[in-house]
Amino acid sequence: MKSSNWAYSFEDADGSNKDLFGGKGANLAAMTALGLPIPPGFTVTTEACLRYFKDNANLHDEIKAEVKEQIAKLESKLGRKFGDPANPLLVSVRSGAKASMPGMMDTILNLGLNDETAEGLAALTDNKRFALDSYRRFIQTFSEVVLGIDLDEFEAILTNIREAAGVHYDYQIPAEALERLLAEYKKVVERHRGNGLPQDPMEQLYMAVSAVFASWNTPRAKTYRRLNAIPDDLGTAANVQAMVFGNMGDNSGTGVAFSRNPSTGEHKIYGEFLVNAQGEDVVAGIRTPRSIDSLQELMPEQAEELFDTIERLDQHFKDMQDVEFTIEEGKLYILQTRSGKRTGAAALRIAVESQEQGYFDKEEALMRVEPSSLDQLLHKQVDPTAPAKPVAEGLNASPGAAVGRIVLDPDRATQLAAEGQKLILVRNETTPDDIHGLNASEGVLTARGGMTSHAAVVARGMGKPCVAGCTGMEANEEAGTVTFKGYDGTLKEGDSLTIDGTTGKAYIGELPLVDPQIGDDFAKFLGWADEVRRLGVRTNADNPVDTRRAYEFGAQGIGLCRTEHMFMEQERLPHVRAMILAENEEERRAHLAKIKEFQRSDFEGIFREMHGYPVTIRLLDPPLHEFLPHDEEEIEEVIRSVKGDTTEDEIARLKARVLSLQESNPMLGFRGCRLGLIYPEINEMQVEAILEAAITVRREGEQVDPEIMIPLSGARAELALIEEKLRPVAEAVFERMGDRVAYKFGTMIEVPRAALTADEIAEVAEFFSFGTNDLTQMTLGISRDDAEEKFLRQYVDMGIYAANPFAQLDQTGVGRLVTMAVELGRKTRPDLKIGICGEHGGDPSSIDFCHRNAFDYVSCSPFRVPIARLAAAQSAIRAKRGEQVLKRL
């Protein structure tokens, strides 16, 4: 047994221990144990990475010693020598964290080359061009990744050499031109470093391992982890592997293949490759690769072996595999495999088909799909009836359609998106450094690259549409223009563009989009989730259309119907404003009677569409000034529209009254239950409308289950006074209509005091619904609108919050109040119904919290209902298995 955990050969590593060896290292160990054609190597562990950071970004001597020992074993195994010009050993150094982070960290190929070993490699292979090409690749990547020299300096030289040689692609550059290129590359390194490129291979290796470890904390890696909820304290392993070469001629090549289609989930080998190339060429998007199917024509024996190996890996890992391979002079090598990134549609299909193939049971199938990825199935597509001709066509790299304004720079995309603009990021090709721009945009369009390019992989992971490899397109960032082959005009930044990642087409202008059609697998899969989950899933809906959509998505009721949204509609707003400007209760009630007709009609439609499931209706919540304009001229117009001809003195008096309604801090002002206590006629009108609608719909043969929710209560007395006023109103409705329905009175827990005194409030309330948006604001002392614009993102970046607390529930702060309120409330009323209706009701980690705290239901927007159904099922499965809970904050 080893006394340290710094470096292990692939033979000695544990293929099941991703914590220590990272995903890539563990899989290399597993494939080695399976006897697959894996270039030998070793893994420098995640513990070595964490020690590197502990030692102030220095590679400890113990780690260096074990790396050197592993190199000696590799030399003995292969009969080559590190730094030996006659028979040089060359290696690659690749990152490999526990969680796959494609393109986010660094890789160095051809390490071990120097001036002498490059000459030796040329003599050994009798292929001078191959050796020079490998050396230039090493200098370029080592200089960028390890030495920190801007890649653009090398690219400029490479472009000049290509043009001078009269060739289009790098692999076409002749040997004599590559010699001139290397001389120029060395000058760049000398200018930046002073003493040139390190010539000692062991020094190169130590520096490369350090650089891979350091890449764990690059801005792009941190951004990716933040977007994908990957912890920062895992570290990455570094995998050192003997080089095999796909750039040794036309009987060599390299590629990436998936065991299933990552966009659709179809169980068919899918991928692409390049002849006479190294792996970086495929993923960098510099050359547009060929479909993996054509490998069967060019190299049939190698294609058959590759396809058999990929299928074997799919069966072994019981998941879709993303496989990198190289063919060196006719011999196949597998460089790595990992669980492939996939679209939500693909994830769903793979889970269902794998379960039906007997890979695993239904519960495991449910755990294989990230709940948020289901959102991708609900993305819109271009309306097929739209009379539009595509301006360009590329690869359908990530499904869904998007409309937005062209933006060419990822930094500018972030800035414009923050201003509320919808954007399409247009690039010749993307790099990992562009991730923030992709995240800020609705979709991405690239001129170069394939289905496994950076843009494609990241867009699929984000669920954003992507069209890649759009040949004939050129994006000129400096000029701010985009041109397309066959199109005479020139588009500029800010022009509108539509992309369809499902078909691979791009259109000028804004095309209409249509809702997606959900397949049979979707209903089957969510049916499995419903068999497992304990939590109910409701929706937040304020009108019959949203209610119908949510019901179709599987909602089991409405957890929040915001009645104020009904007030804001155009034909109702004048009556609402007239009610606010009323001089007395009698006048106010007269206008409320007109509003009541609208409210009752809305409630009838909602009850009908919910087919007997509970409907929780929140009485008027916002302050009255929100229904009035803020500009004095507009206020005067409203007064004249309501009051008609009146005196200037009267207008001035009413204007002063309107202005007096405005508040310096309306979130904590005259709203919610406070309105209901001072103006009880508003609540009375709404209760009448709710119960009259319920009786009307019940008489039609539909079951109804109304729940009336009082907002913003912070004391038992508030709630008790309102209930005392409203119970007689309900009885009057029943007497007048000669019929009655069962109903409940409850409250929204959104004030910290309500949580702290929940035992007292439960004496009155028959249900609690946690309004975690306002509860978060009041508990953290943060105004959401101001914070998200001014500092909240920086707080997340600085680690003050692990995530935006308005997107994921702050479980250690706000969550503690919620837990206390649940315990206190049920101590008083054991059958107290408890739900959540804030934005957190659709967040998987927050749903997990609700499951653990014995909530009855969560409520979320209609399109997040499927996500909530799956997340609730996964919480039940985790609890059954005793696994670690999902906890973000």
Side-chain angles (χ1 to χ4, degrees):
M1 185 73 179
K2 290 182 60 171
S3 59
S4 65
N5 287 316
W6 307 136
Y8 291 76
S9 69
F10 296 158
E11 290 87 352
D12 293 333
D14 180 356
S16 64
N17 190 348
K18 292 186 177 182
D19 289 322
L20 183 61
F21 299 106
K24 190 175 298 181
N27 288 348
L28 284 166
M31 288 192 294
T32 299
L34 288 172
L36 298 179
I38 311 299
F42 59 92
T43 299
V44 189
T45 66
T46 58
E47 288 194 8
C49 175
L50 298 177
R51 178 63 185 267
Y52 166 85
F53 287 118
K54 182 180 178 181
D55 292 339
N56 298 314
N58 287 302
L59 207 59
H60 194 276
D61 287 343
E62 289 181 9
I63 299 173
K64 289 182 178 180
E66 289 205 20
V67 168
K68 192 170 185 178
E69 179 185 331
Q70 291 294 339
I71 284 290
K73 291 180 180 179
L74 203 55
E75 290 174 331
S76 175
K77 190 176 300 180
L78 295 172
R80 303 177 200 159
K81 195 79 173 174
F82 217 32
D84 181 4
N87 192 15
L89 170 65
L90 303 182
V91 298
S92 63
V93 183
R94 292 183 172 91
S95 64
K98 177 182 180 180
S100 177
M101 298 171 58
M104 293 302 108
M105 292 178 291
D106 291 325
T107 295
I108 299 100
L109 303 179
N110 308 318
L111 189 143
L113 281 174
N114 55 30
D115 294 345
E116 292 183 351
T117 55
E119 289 184 11
L121 184 64
L124 183 67
T125 60
D126 194 24
N127 191 336
K128 183 177 181 181
R129 194 211 166 277
F130 154 71
L132 294 172
D133 182 56
S134 298
Y135 196 18
R136 72 95 184 165
R137 291 170 183 270
F138 170 66
I139 294 176
Q140 190 166 321
T141 57
F142 189 88
S143 297
E144 180 195 15
V145 171
V146 180
L147 303 180
I149 301 173
D150 195 330
L151 182 63
D152 289 344
E153 295 194 46
F154 299 101
E155 289 289 349
I157 296 169
L158 185 59
T159 299
N160 291 336
I161 291 290
R162 272 199 313 264
E163 291 176 352
V167 299
H168 188 66
Y169 294 112
D170 300 347
Y171 70 89
Q172 297 170 325
I173 301 173
E176 55 273 18
L178 285 173
E179 289 180 317
R180 295 195 301 274
L181 179 142
L182 284 169
E184 293 298 318
Y185 273 16
K186 290 175 185 177
K187 288 179 184 178
V188 172
V189 178
E190 182 74 30
R191 185 169 68 252
H192 282 274
R193 194 165 183 262
N195 55 349
L197 189 78
Q199 295 293 299
D200 178 5
M202 282 308 304
E203 182 185 1
Q204 293 176 0
L205 182 55
Y206 295 147
M207 293 174 72
V209 170
S210 296
V212 165
F213 286 165
S215 71
W216 174 256
N217 278 336
T218 60
R220 68 175 186 253
K222 287 181 175 180
T223 298
Y224 188 93
R225 291 200 296 275
R226 176 170 55 82
L227 294 175
N228 292 276
I230 298 172
D232 287 326
D233 57 358
L234 298 178
T236 181
N239 296 286
V240 181
Q241 193 170 22
M243 280 296 302
V244 290
F245 299 95
N247 58 331
M248 291 189 72
D250 289 342
N251 64 345
S252 302
T254 190
V256 177
F258 297 84
S259 61
R260 302 172 191 244
N261 188 308
S263 290
T264 68
E266 180 185 7
H267 195 169
K268 179 184 177 182
I269 305 295
Y270 177 91
E272 46 201 18
F273 75 102
L274 288 168
V275 172
N276 194 19
Q278 286 197 330
E280 63 191 47
D281 298 331
V282 179
V283 297
I286 297 167
R287 291 165 58 187
T288 299
R290 305 174 66 167
S291 167
I292 198 71
D293 293 334
S294 60
L295 184 64
Q296 293 174 301
E297 302 170 10
L298 294 174
M299 306 179 195
E301 292 182 11
Q302 291 82 2
E304 182 179 1
E305 183 185 3
L306 173 66
F307 287 12
D308 288 346
T309 300
I310 291 172
E311 181 59 28
R312 186 178 173 189
L313 290 171
D314 187 276
Q315 294 175 11
H316 176 79
F317 289 105
K318 301 187 186 305
D319 197 8
M320 182 191 86
Q321 293 301 292
D322 173 356
V323 180
E324 291 185 20
F325 67 92
T326 287
I327 299 171
E328 179 185 272
E329 295 187 316
K331 179 168 175 54
L332 172 70
Y333 293 94
I334 304 298
L335 305 184
Q336 70 160 318
T337 191
R338 60 190 172 197
S339 293
K341 297 292 181 184
R342 65 206 74 181
T343 64
L348 183 67
R349 179 173 177 179
I350 290 167
V352 171
E353 291 186 356
S354 295
Q355 190 279 329
E356 292 174 343
Q357 288 174 261
Y359 277 16
F360 36 67
D361 61 19
K362 290 179 182 179
E363 289 191 359
E364 181 59 29
L366 290 169
M367 298 302 291
R368 293 295 181 102
V369 178
E370 176 65 32
S372 59
S373 72
L374 294 183
D375 196 33
Q376 299 172 29
L377 277 70
L378 312 174
H379 286 326
K380 294 184 176 182
Q381 307 292 329
V382 172
D383 187 343
T385 65
K389 181 180 179 181
V391 68
E393 190 164 353
L395 300 172
N396 54 335
S398 184
V403 174
R405 297 182 180 276
I406 293 171
V407 62
L408 301 175
D409 176 75
D411 292 332
R412 192 155 51 252
T414 302
Q415 175 188 345
L416 294 175
E419 297 172 6
Q421 294 195 33
K422 303 292 186 183
L423 306 166
I424 302 294
L425 182 64
V426 180
R427 305 282 280 168
N428 287 324
E429 69 261 345
T430 65
T431 71
D433 290 325
D434 296 340
I435 185 172
H436 59 298
L438 267 74
N439 184 53
S441 303
E442 302 298 303
V444 59
L445 173 68
T446 68
R448 295 188 285 273
M451 300 293 286
T452 53
S453 65
H454 171 263
V457 171
V458 173
R460 281 198 297 269
M462 290 181 172
K464 294 179 183 285
C466 173
V467 176
C470 193
T471 55
M473 184 193 88
E474 183 175 352
N476 188 326
E477 185 177 337
E478 188 174 338
T481 60
V482 180
T483 57
F484 295 96
K485 185 178 180 180
Y487 176 69
D488 294 333
T490 298
L491 298 182
K492 298 178 181 177
E493 254 196 339
D495 288 343
S496 294
L497 197 67
T498 299
I499 63 169
D500 188 341
T502 303
T503 64
K505 295 176 181 178
Y507 305 83
I508 294 174
E510 299 184 7
L511 295 188
L513 305 182
V514 295
D515 290 334
Q517 299 296 317
I518 298 171
D520 293 340
D521 283 347
F522 186 82
K524 180 187 293 185
F525 183 77
L526 288 178
W528 296 348
D530 294 341
E531 293 171 7
V532 173
R533 66 183 170 89
R534 180 193 60 77
L535 273 174
V537 176
R538 299 191 190 182
T539 191
N540 301 337
D542 315 317
N543 57 68
V545 173
D546 285 350
T547 302
R548 183 185 312 117
R549 181 181 292 120
Y551 180 82
E552 290 169 352
F553 283 148
Q556 299 166 296
I558 290 179
L560 176 62
C561 177
R562 307 172 183 89
T563 54
E564 62 269 13
H565 288 186
M566 304 170 180
F567 281 28
M568 296 299 291
E569 293 188 17
Q570 189 172 1
E571 73 274 18
R572 307 165 188 207
L573 193 55
H575 299 296
V576 175
R577 287 172 167 173
M579 180 269 294
I580 295 171
L581 293 173
E583 301 289 334
N584 53 55
E585 181 180 334
E586 182 181 357
E587 188 178 340
R588 197 158 39 249
R589 286 186 181 276
H591 291 297
L592 284 169
K594 297 174 184 177
I595 299 169
K596 175 182 169 182
E597 299 304 314
F598 294 113
Q599 291 258 278
R600 184 170 55 210
S601 176
D602 287 331
F603 296 142
E604 287 175 3
I606 289 171
F607 284 132
R608 289 188 186 105
E609 296 295 347
M610 204 28 82
H611 302 290
Y613 282 120
V615 176
T616 304
I617 299 169
R618 182 178 71 186
L619 302 184
L620 188 65
D621 183 41
L624 296 179
H625 75 84
E626 287 195 8
F627 300 99
L628 297 168
H630 300 289
D631 179 83
E632 289 200 29
E633 289 185 11
E634 292 180 1
I635 291 173
E636 185 170 333
E637 289 178 14
V638 168
I639 293 171
R640 291 187 184 279
S641 69
V642 170
K643 295 294 184 179
D645 293 333
T646 187
T647 65
E648 293 300 320
D649 287 345
E650 180 70 1
I651 288 173
R653 185 180 66 80
L654 289 171
K655 188 186 294 185
R657 184 172 159 218
V658 168
L659 292 172
S660 72
L661 291 174
Q662 296 180 9
E663 299 177 317
S664 58
N665 193 347
M667 189 190 76
L668 302 179
F670 186 31
R671 52 170 284 221
C673 63
R674 300 155 194 171
L675 272 176
L677 284 168
I678 305 305
Y679 297 123
E681 56 270 22
I682 297 176
N683 280 355
E684 291 170 15
M685 177 276 293
Q686 292 193 294
V687 169
E688 288 178 356
I690 292 167
L691 296 178
E692 288 173 11
I695 291 172
T696 298
V697 173
R698 210 267 307 276
R699 286 173 175 172
E700 295 171 0
E702 287 279 4
Q703 293 297 312
V704 292
D705 188 2
E707 298 178 342
I708 299 169
M709 182 160 67
I710 312 301
L712 209 73
S713 59
R716 181 193 183 283
E718 283 178 315
L719 201 60
L721 286 170
I722 291 175
E723 185 190 19
E724 286 172 12
K725 291 176 180 289
L726 294 181
R727 291 285 186 190
V729 173
E731 290 301 319
V733 170
F734 298 154
E735 183 176 348
R736 185 170 65 252
M737 297 191 72
D739 202 350
R740 62 190 306 120
V741 293
Y743 70 97
K744 290 184 176 70
F745 267 124
T747 191
M748 204 168 187
I749 304 292
E750 48 195 328
V751 176
R753 190 182 190 279
L756 294 168
T757 61
D759 51 344
E760 298 177 6
I761 288 178
E763 293 172 3
V764 181
E766 295 174 286
F767 65 87
F768 285 174
S769 179
F770 286 90
T772 48
N773 297 341
D774 277 359
L775 187 60
T776 296
Q777 291 192 92
M778 295 188 201
T779 303
L780 300 185
I782 288 177
S783 167
R784 176 178 183 171
D785 293 340
D786 295 323
E788 290 190 323
E789 178 183 345
K790 294 176 181 175
F791 66 85
L792 198 51
R793 197 174 87 179
Q794 291 90 326
Y795 262 45
V796 173
D797 290 341
M798 289 187 285
I800 296 172
Y801 298 127
N804 181 339
F806 295 103
Q808 293 181 358
L809 184 68
D810 167 25
Q811 296 182 25
T812 56
V814 178
R816 188 169 297 179
L817 274 178
V818 172
T819 299
M820 180 189 304
V822 171
E823 293 173 352
L824 289 172
R826 287 212 169 120
K827 183 178 180 181
T828 298
R829 190 186 292 266
D831 62 347
L832 185 71
K833 185 184 291 187
I834 293 177
I836 185 173
C837 61
E839 292 295 323
H840 302 105
D843 168 61
S845 68
S846 307
I847 291 169
D848 193 80
F849 171 87
C850 293
H851 177 90
R852 288 181 280 114
N853 280 272
F855 276 49
D856 292 293
Y857 68 87
V858 297
S859 188
C860 55
S861 64
F863 279 98
R864 294 191 71 82
V865 167
I867 295 170
R869 290 166 67 188
L870 176 56
Q874 291 184 349
S875 294
I877 294 168
R878 268 191 297 272
K880 178 180 175 182
R881 294 177 175 179
E883 293 181 3
Q884 185 176 0
V885 299
L886 265 177
K887 189 172 182 181
R888 297 288 183 256
L889 294 178

